[in-house]
Structure formats: C-alpha cells, structure tokens
Amino acid sequence: AAAHDDPSSLGAHRELPIATVPPAAEPAFDADRVRQAARLLERRRVLVVRGPSRRGGRQMACDIASQLGCAANIVTVDEELPRLAELSRLRDGLLVLDVHALSAVPQAQLAKLASGLGRMVVLVDEAAETGDYAAIDVGPVSYPEAVRIWEQLVGDERAEAMAARFRVSVEEARSAI
C-alpha cells in the first residue's frame, strides 16, 4: 500500500530505531521472576510482557536478555511492525519489539515475524490482547528496582540517592552517565 501511495518509497530503506543494551550483572526485577520469564521464553520462543509502564517492560526485557547472557536489541515500533527482512539483520542478542504505543497489536503480522525469527520478547500495554502467546505482567520500575540498577552503575554509596531521584531503566541510566 505504501508503494502505491508513494512509488518513490519502493525499495527504500528505513532506519529502525534500535537500542542495544548490554547484559547487566544482576537483574533489576526479582531474580526468580526473571528466571521464570526466561525459561518461558525459551520454551515458547515468543514472550509478551504486558504492563502500564513502557519503562518497566523495557527493563524486564533487559533483565531477561541478561539472564540469557546476551544484549537486548530493543526495536521501538510507533506505527507498524517492521518487516521480517529488517529484523532478521539483528543476529546477536535478544530481539525485543516495543509495541507499547500501538492501540492494537497486529496478531497476524506478529505471527509471521515469530515464525521467521528466533526467540522474541514483545512489549505491550496492559490492555493489549496477547492472543495465544505466553504473557507475563510487569509493573513500573519502582524504588527497589531503581536501586539495583544504579548500584551497578554508580556503586552502593550513591545508588539510593540516585534511585530516589531517578526511577529509570538500565537503558536510560547508562545513557545518562
């Protein structure tokens, strides 16, 4: 449809917004919960992380990737899902599709991506329909999670003060320092 509306877009390459977050030494969320989520992802290949907070979902995805010993490649989707060919270029790390901003998750397109890719985490709003995919619910990054994030980056002495002021994900904290 896009080529029909704008023929110049035919064959055009669009840049995917990708944030690569290296694995952390320790998870921000509860370690048992992260291990369970990683096992569920390994069994089902697609895991939907549902919650009211985009930041919380992104952090849980980073924790899962760290549990698996790899980086999280977070692709932010604001309008439509990327094509399989675009995502298949991401070879190293865990693919995380952040579709939190979409009002509805396009199940048919997601199924096509899932069949053509390896394991994948999909981040959605708490009200999103997850279809037949395995799903977990996650809340926002709260003080305890923020302390664990900041401890790894600024040490124990400054972590509590930073967590009190900045309840951010590891992705955001790393870019801030």
Side-chain angles (χ1 to χ4, degrees):
H4 187 316
D5 295 338
D6 180 12
S8 67
S9 71
L10 190 60
H13 176 72
R14 70 175 173 168
E15 287 296 318
L16 288 178
I18 302 168
T20 299
V21 181
E26 298 292 328
F29 284 103
D30 177 72
D32 287 335
R33 187 151 189 255
V34 172
R35 275 192 295 277
Q36 291 170 353
R39 282 196 302 268
L40 186 57
L41 172 64
E42 288 294 303
R43 279 196 309 274
R44 300 288 296 272
R45 309 304 291 163
V46 176
L47 178 65
V48 176
V49 176
R50 182 177 45 212
S53 165
R54 173 180 248 172
R55 179 177 286 142
R58 288 171 81 103
Q59 181 58 51
M60 177 57 87
C62 290
D63 285 352
I64 293 168
S66 294
Q67 176 67 35
L68 297 171
C70 60
N73 292 317
I74 305 172
V75 178
T76 303
V77 177
D78 289 325
E79 294 178 14
E80 62 183 40
L81 290 178
R83 295 184 310 272
L84 180 60
E86 293 174 297
L87 295 174
S88 63
R89 294 185 195 124
L90 299 173
R91 301 211 184 276
D92 297 325
L94 176 63
L95 174 61
V96 179
L97 280 181
D98 181 352
V99 297
H100 205 272
L102 299 182
S103 57
V105 179
Q107 296 289 328
Q109 287 177 287
L110 188 57
K112 183 178 177 182
L113 291 176
S115 69
L117 299 167
R119 60 189 181 200
M120 172 174 60
V121 173
V122 182
L123 310 178
V124 300
D125 181 70
E126 64 186 336
E129 174 59 42
T130 61
D132 292 332
Y133 297 108
I136 62 168
D137 293 318
V138 67
V141 173
S142 60
Y143 181 75
E145 291 86 21
V147 168
R148 288 189 284 273
I149 289 166
W150 286 112
E151 281 174 342
Q152 296 178 55
L153 299 174
V154 299
D156 293 345
E157 289 180 18
R158 296 181 47 213
E160 289 186 18
M162 294 298 284
R165 293 182 62 205
F166 305 107
R167 307 260 168 91
V168 297
S169 67
V170 67
E171 171 189 4
E172 296 164 307
R174 282 188 175 149
S175 68
I177 58 171

